[in-house]
Amino acid sequence: MSMNVPEIQTNYVKKIIQAVQSPTPEMLLNTRRQLYNRFATAWLNRYFVNDEFASGKGNLAFLQIEGEGGARASWMTSGSWITYAHKYKPILFQLEHRYYGKSHPTEDLSNENLVYLTSQQALGDLAFFIEAMNQNHNLTRDVKWIVFGGSYAGNLAAWVRLKYPHLVHGAMSASAPLLAKLDFPEYLEDIEDSLRASNEKCSTILKQSIDQIDVLLHTAVGQKNLNDLFNLCEDISKNVHNSLDMYNFFMNLIIEVFAFVIQDNTAPDWLCGSLLDESIGPEINRLANIYKLVTNTSTQCLSYKYDKDISIIQNRTWESRGNFGDRQWTYQTCTEFGYYQTHPKFPLSFFVQRCQDIFRSSHNEMFLDRAINRTNVFYGGLDIEVSNVVFVHGSLDPWRLLGITKTLNEKAPVIMIEGAGHCANMYNPSEYDTPQLTAARVQIGELIGTWINS
C-alpha cells in the first residue's frame, strides 16, 4: 500500500530552463507565461493504492470515493469492500476530494478560490484519476472500475456512474441523499419517531427537557443553572436576547446529541435508556448528561456564541481549526445542496444567515433555492436513471428520506437494512451485526460479482 501524488513533468521544466540560459527580457516573459499556462491549474490530489489483493491481470479496480472528509490510510485495509477485494482480486484505490484533507488546489480558502469546489469538479477529478491510473498501473483496455461511496460520497458514486458510464462499470452508493433540499425538518422529526418507536416515553421526556430549558431561560436563577448544567463558556444571561446565539445553542444541543447518535449506528435504545434514567435527576439533567457524554464536554466548556463559530469558519487559511472541512462543506451546502436540518428552535432563516455571514450577502434564500434546483436538474434528484448501481440505506438513518428507498429499476436495486444507521454496511463485519446487516453485505457482494461477470 502506498500514497501517491501527481509528479511535475521534469523534462518539460528542463527544456524551459535550457531555453533561457542566456535570456532576453522577451524570452523571460514568454517563459513565465509558458510556465504559468502549464502549471497554474495543476495541484496535488492525494490518493492511496493497495495492490496486495490484485490478481495481476489488470482488469479490475475498486475505487473508494471520499467526500467531505480527508482520505484515510485505514480504509485501505478495512471496511466491507476489503471482504469483496479478497473474493474478486482487484487493485484498490482511494481518492481524496478536492479541498478536503491534504488536497489543496488553491493557496487558501477565499471566496474567490472556493468557486472551484463543486461536485461537478469532483466528478471530473474522478474521471481524470481513473484514466491516469489506467495508464500508470498498466490496466487493460477493458478494465472494470467499481466505485464505493457513503453519504455525500454515495452521491458521487452514483453520479460518476451516471456521468461517466464508459469509465465506471458499477457503483455501491450508501446512505446517499441524492435529492438536494433547502429546508429539511424531516431529519429531526424522523429521529424523534425512532426514539418513540424505541420507547414511547423517550420523545416525551425529550420535549419536556427542552421545555425546561425554555423555562430556565426566563429567570436569573434558571440561567445560572443552565450555565452549570451544560458547562457553558459564556454566561447565557448576557446572550439570552440574542436570537442567533439562542438558535446556535439549541442547534448544537439537539443536532449534536440526537442526530449523530442515531445516524452513526448507535441504537436509540441507549439514548432512551439515558433519558429514562431517573437516578440522574430531572429531565433536563438527563439531557445535559447525555450531551456531555456525546460531545466530551465534561472536561471543557461549551461555547454557543454565533459570532465565535462564524469567525472560525470565516478563516481562509488551510491551517485553521475550522478548515478541516467545516468551511468547505458549509460552502457546498450554501451553493449546491442545502440539507438544512431545521427545527422550531433554529429555523431556516438561521441557516440562510450563516451562508450570508460566512460567504456573501447575495447568498440569500432565493440564491439557495436556485442553486439547489440546478443541482437536482443536473443530476436528476430521485429520478436519476442509472444501471449497475445499488442504493443502500439503513432504516434508522434520517438521510434515507432524501435518497432512493424503493427499487424502481431492477438494474439499480435498493437495499434497505432494518435497524441500521448511516453507512452501516461500509464498515467491517462485527459479531454485533444484525442478521439484516450481514445479509445486506452478502447481497452487495453478489451484485458486484454480477457486474464483474457481465
Side-chain angles (χ1 to χ4, degrees):
M1 182 182 68
S2 61
M3 182 180 76
N4 298 272
V5 293
E7 296 180 357
I8 295 176
Q9 296 178 8
T10 54
N11 289 336
Y12 181 86
V13 177
K14 289 177 181 178
K15 184 177 179 181
I16 295 295
I17 293 173
Q18 291 169 0
V20 295
Q21 287 179 339
S22 302
T24 64
E26 291 78 14
M27 290 175 65
L28 279 174
L29 180 60
N30 287 334
T31 300
R32 287 174 181 170
R33 284 174 176 167
Q34 289 183 60
L35 286 170
Y36 178 81
N37 291 335
R38 181 66 179 82
F39 300 121
T41 57
W43 54 282
L44 304 181
N45 200 167
R46 187 169 66 152
Y47 72 94
F48 293 90
V49 57
N50 183 352
D51 60 3
E52 67 175 291
F53 304 106
S55 65
K57 297 178 181 179
N59 62 352
L60 182 62
F62 283 4
L63 170 59
Q64 176 138 307
I65 302 170
E66 289 306 319
E68 68 275 28
R72 290 179 292 170
S74 60
W75 274 116
M76 301 308 295
T77 55
S78 67
S80 60
W81 77 319
I82 299 297
T83 303
Y84 309 141
H86 278 286
K87 182 175 182 179
Y88 297 116
K89 310 301 181 184
I91 184 171
L92 300 177
F93 297 96
Q94 179 188 183
L95 182 66
E96 193 165 69
H97 194 298
R98 59 168 56 202
Y99 286 87
Y100 292 99
K102 295 183 179 180
S103 296
H104 301 169
T106 54
E107 64 179 359
D108 62 23
L109 292 164
S110 64
N111 291 347
E112 294 73 22
N113 284 335
L114 285 174
V115 297
Y116 305 107
L117 172 56
T118 69
S119 58
Q120 293 175 47
Q121 292 278 13
L123 295 181
D125 293 340
L126 286 164
F128 180 84
F129 176 79
I130 289 172
E131 290 187 322
M133 294 304 103
N134 286 341
Q135 293 184 8
N136 291 355
H137 292 271
N138 297 314
L139 303 184
T140 63
R141 293 188 63 181
D142 61 347
V143 58
K144 292 178 179 177
W145 283 79
I146 309 297
V147 299
F148 300 77
S151 197
Y152 165 52
N155 288 359
L156 296 176
W159 292 340
V160 76
R161 167 64 182 161
L162 172 72
K163 298 296 184 180
Y164 298 96
H166 62 294
L167 296 177
V168 175
H169 189 66
M172 192 290 298
S173 172
S175 299
L178 293 172
L179 180 68
K181 193 172 190 288
L182 179 60
D183 192 358
F184 187 29
E186 298 89 348
Y187 181 92
L188 291 170
E189 292 168 1
D190 186 71
I191 289 175
E192 289 189 24
D193 289 342
S194 295
L195 290 173
R196 191 176 296 109
S198 179
N199 190 309
E200 185 69 32
K201 293 182 179 178
C202 287
S203 59
T204 302
I205 292 175
L206 171 60
K207 184 179 185 305
Q208 290 173 343
S209 64
I210 294 174
D211 289 343
Q212 287 171 12
I213 292 176
D214 277 333
V215 172
L216 294 178
L217 283 171
H218 287 85
T219 68
V221 173
Q223 292 159 7
K224 184 179 183 307
N225 285 340
L226 287 174
N227 290 334
D228 296 336
L229 275 172
F230 293 96
N231 195 21
L232 302 180
C233 299
E234 302 89 7
D235 184 351
I236 205 166
S237 66
K238 298 178 180 179
N239 306 299
V240 69
H241 298 298
N242 184 318
S243 60
L244 290 176
D245 286 342
M246 292 300 97
Y247 290 156
N248 212 40
F249 169 70
F250 279 107
M251 181 187 71
N252 286 332
L253 181 63
I254 294 174
I255 289 184
E256 287 285 348
V257 171
F258 298 99
F260 293 132
V261 167
I262 289 181
Q263 81 164 42
D264 286 345
N265 301 300
T266 300
D269 294 345
W270 174 84
L271 200 55
C272 279
S274 298
L275 285 171
L276 295 170
D277 189 352
E278 296 180 359
S279 67
I280 298 173
E283 291 85 350
I284 190 173
N285 293 60
R286 303 173 210 171
L287 180 61
N289 183 63
I290 294 170
Y291 185 84
K292 290 176 182 178
L293 289 173
V294 171
T295 61
N296 196 30
T297 54
S298 57
T299 57
Q300 57 185 1
C301 63
L302 163 66
S303 177
Y304 60 89
K305 288 290 293 177
Y306 176 81
D307 289 344
K308 184 176 180 180
D309 284 355
I310 294 301
S311 67
I312 292 173
I313 304 178
Q314 283 176 328
N315 192 310
R316 302 177 179 191
T317 63
W318 288 107
E319 295 76 21
S320 168
R321 179 166 63 89
N323 291 339
F324 291 103
D326 288 350
R327 178 171 172 82
Q328 298 94 306
W329 182 243
T330 302
Y331 178 80
Q332 288 195 264
T333 66
C334 293
T335 57
E336 291 191 83
F337 304 122
Y339 294 150
Y340 298 125
Q341 301 145 40
T342 57
H343 185 274
K345 294 297 183 183
F346 37 94
L348 178 61
S349 60
F350 168 67
F351 293 96
V352 175
Q353 187 68 53
R354 280 169 51 91
C355 289
Q356 293 180 302
D357 290 342
I358 295 171
F359 302 110
R360 292 184 173 90
S361 59
S362 59
H363 288 189
N364 55 27
E365 187 171 338
M366 181 181 295
F367 172 90
L368 268 66
D369 267 327
R370 290 175 176 173
I372 290 166
N373 182 63
R374 181 181 182 278
T375 298
N376 289 328
V377 169
F378 188 76
Y379 295 118
L382 300 183
D383 295 320
I384 183 174
E385 293 186 5
V386 288
S387 62
N388 286 11
V389 178
V390 57
F391 297 103
V392 188
H393 292 280
S395 67
L396 295 180
D397 180 14
W399 288 109
R400 77 188 187 285
L401 301 175
L402 298 182
I404 296 176
T405 55
K406 292 184 179 179
T407 299
L408 302 176
N409 174 4
E410 63 179 11
K411 294 184 178 180
V414 171
I415 298 176
M416 180 64 68
I417 309 172
E418 189 64 31
H422 198 59
C423 298
N425 66 289
M426 295 187 69
Y427 300 104
N428 279 329
S430 163
E431 61 181 306
Y432 302 107
D433 290 342
T434 62
Q436 294 90 335
L437 178 54
T438 299
R441 288 201 182 98
V442 172
Q443 187 178 353
I444 293 166
E446 291 173 347
L447 283 169
I448 292 172
T450 300
W451 301 335
I452 293 172
N453 295 322
S454 64

